[in-house]
Amino acid sequence: MRLPHKAPRSSVYLNFKEICSSEHQTIVRFYEEYEADIQLLTVEEYFEMSLAYASALFEVGAYSSFLASCDDLIESVIFFNIVNYNGENIYHKLLFRKAVALYHLMEYPASEKILRQLMRMNPED
C-alpha cells in the first residue's frame, strides 16, 4: 500500500519495526501496550502494525482475538483496494486464516462457508 505523501515515521512504528517478525508474543505485547498511540498513526503504519498484530495473534493460537481484528483488516483491504501485500494476496490469506481460526474454535459451519467461498474465488489454489 502506498500513500501519495510519505509522512515521517513515528517513533512507535520505528520501535515496532525493531521487533523480529517471528517474535509473536513480543508483537502482541507491544501492540496491546501502545494501542492508543497506534490508533493515531498514518493509515499505512496503522495497517502494517495491525496486520502484524493479527498475524501474531493467529500464530500464538489466540483465535478469538484474531477474529476480533480480522474483519477490520479485511474491510481495510477492500476499502483501500490492496490486492498484494508483501507478495501475497492478503485478502485470500486473511480469509483463509479466518476459516482456520473458526475451525479451531469449533465453528465448523462458518469455517466451511468461508473455505467454499475461497474455492469459488480461486479454484486452482
Side-chain angles (χ1 to χ4, degrees):
M1 168 157 76
R2 285 277 178 239
L3 296 177
H5 309 248
K6 197 144 195 178
R9 298 294 186 189
S10 68
S11 60
V12 172
Y13 177 80
L14 293 173
N15 291 337
F16 183 80
K17 292 300 285 181
E18 291 179 10
I19 302 170
C20 179
S21 62
S22 63
E23 296 178 23
H24 307 297
Q25 290 287 358
T26 305
I27 291 170
V28 170
R29 280 192 302 274
F30 183 94
Y31 189 95
E32 290 174 352
E33 183 177 341
Y34 294 100
E35 190 166 5
D37 296 327
I38 293 168
Q39 297 286 327
L40 303 174
L41 297 176
T42 65
V43 173
E44 186 176 5
E45 289 176 346
Y46 176 78
F47 178 78
E48 185 175 341
M49 290 180 72
S50 294
L51 185 60
Y53 172 66
S55 294
L57 289 171
F58 181 85
E59 293 298 333
V60 299
Y63 299 118
S64 294
S65 297
F66 169 78
L67 289 173
S69 63
C70 186
D71 286 336
D72 287 338
L73 285 168
I74 291 171
E75 185 179 316
S76 294
V77 166
I78 293 168
F79 183 79
F80 292 108
N81 196 26
I82 304 168
V83 179
N84 288 309
Y85 189 81
N86 291 337
E88 297 180 296
N89 184 320
I90 194 65
Y91 180 69
H92 288 175
K93 183 177 181 176
L94 285 169
L95 281 176
F96 181 74
R97 284 185 164 193
K98 182 176 180 177
V100 171
L102 288 166
Y103 176 84
H104 283 290
L105 294 171
M106 294 186 276
E107 296 184 30
Y108 303 122
S111 176
E112 182 180 354
K113 182 179 178 182
I114 292 171
L115 290 172
R116 288 187 185 279
Q117 291 170 348
L118 280 169
M119 288 180 356
R120 278 195 302 271
M121 284 187 264
N122 192 2
E124 294 82 35
D125 188 7

